[in-house]
Amino acid sequence: MVLATGANAAHAPASLTFTDPTGDAVPSSAYDITSITFTTEGTYAGKGKKRSYRPTDLVITMTLAAPPSTVPGTLYEIDATTSKCGDLFVYYTPGVDGSGALFGCGSEPDATGSSSTGVDVVPTVKDKTITWKMPFSSIPREVKPGSSISEFIGFSTQVDPATGVIGPYLLTTDANYDNATGPGSYKIG
């Protein structure tokens, strides 16, 4: 199920939430994704009809059926595609220096031709939620209000605790504890 709010941009941020069935994760509810939300935070100026909203941060939240696992090597990740920057990944690996975001553009190509940009963002974990908040000033300029994000997939899985990266999800999503996909598109704003 997708819940989108395209609220009047002058008065509130637009957001997109997609849900995933509760109880479909293995081995426990700590890995069970129930929803993923894309939105912004920002500032307001003016009053009445002249009130306007200016987004300052991109905010992505994963909600689980229970507080996230702290077992070493647990990985929570959301992947998507941006309209002007290619892939977008946000990830959280408790207890490993492996949390952050990666955008498919924004830097000079390296020896492999990649122009990906890593963003050092430590998500906020509170109760059943993991939230990545990234100021627009810290992410590639192609990902800005007015551009869009689509092709959403969130997952929980187990990876090598030493690297926080190597795991079965690199070969197949069938080995993940839970997969949550969302249709549609989110227009940042």
Side-chain angles (χ1 to χ4, degrees):
M1 172 188 242
V2 176
L3 305 170
T5 60
N8 180 339
H11 299 290
S15 64
L16 177 123
T17 298
F18 63 90
T19 60
D20 189 61
T22 302
D24 66 339
V26 176
S28 75
S29 57
Y31 304 98
D32 193 1
I33 301 166
T34 59
S35 69
I36 295 176
T37 300
F38 286 77
T39 192
T40 61
E41 288 184 3
T43 59
Y44 290 90
K47 293 185 181 195
K49 290 183 179 182
K50 294 186 179 190
R51 184 176 173 152
S52 64
Y53 173 73
R54 182 180 155 268
T56 57
D57 305 291
L58 177 62
V59 182
I60 304 170
T61 302
M62 176 184 283
T63 303
L64 306 166
S69 171
T70 57
V71 172
T74 299
L75 171 66
Y76 297 95
E77 183 168 320
I78 300 169
D79 300 347
T81 302
T82 66
S83 60
K84 298 181 180 182
C85 191
D87 295 327
L88 161 62
F89 308 107
V90 293
Y91 46 93
Y92 170 57
T93 307
V96 176
D97 185 21
S99 298
L102 184 68
F103 293 85
C105 70
S107 66
E108 294 296 321
D110 62 18
T112 66
S114 172
S115 61
S116 296
T117 302
V119 177
D120 188 22
V121 55
V122 177
T124 301
V125 178
K126 183 177 180 185
D127 300 324
K128 302 176 189 179
T129 64
I130 304 166
T131 302
W132 295 265
K133 180 178 175 181
M134 297 167 282
F136 285 109
S137 62
S138 73
I139 62 180
R141 68 181 181 276
E142 294 87 351
V143 182
K144 61 184 178 186
S147 65
S148 62
I149 302 172
S150 60
E151 300 178 32
F152 311 102
I153 181 168
F155 60 89
S156 60
T157 193
Q158 192 69 30
V159 296
D160 174 36
T163 65
V165 177
I166 300 169
Y169 76 98
L170 294 170
L171 302 174
T172 177
T173 58
D174 294 340
N176 291 342
Y177 295 145
D178 196 13
N179 293 299
T181 60
S185 179
Y186 168 62
K187 185 174 179 181
I188 299 173

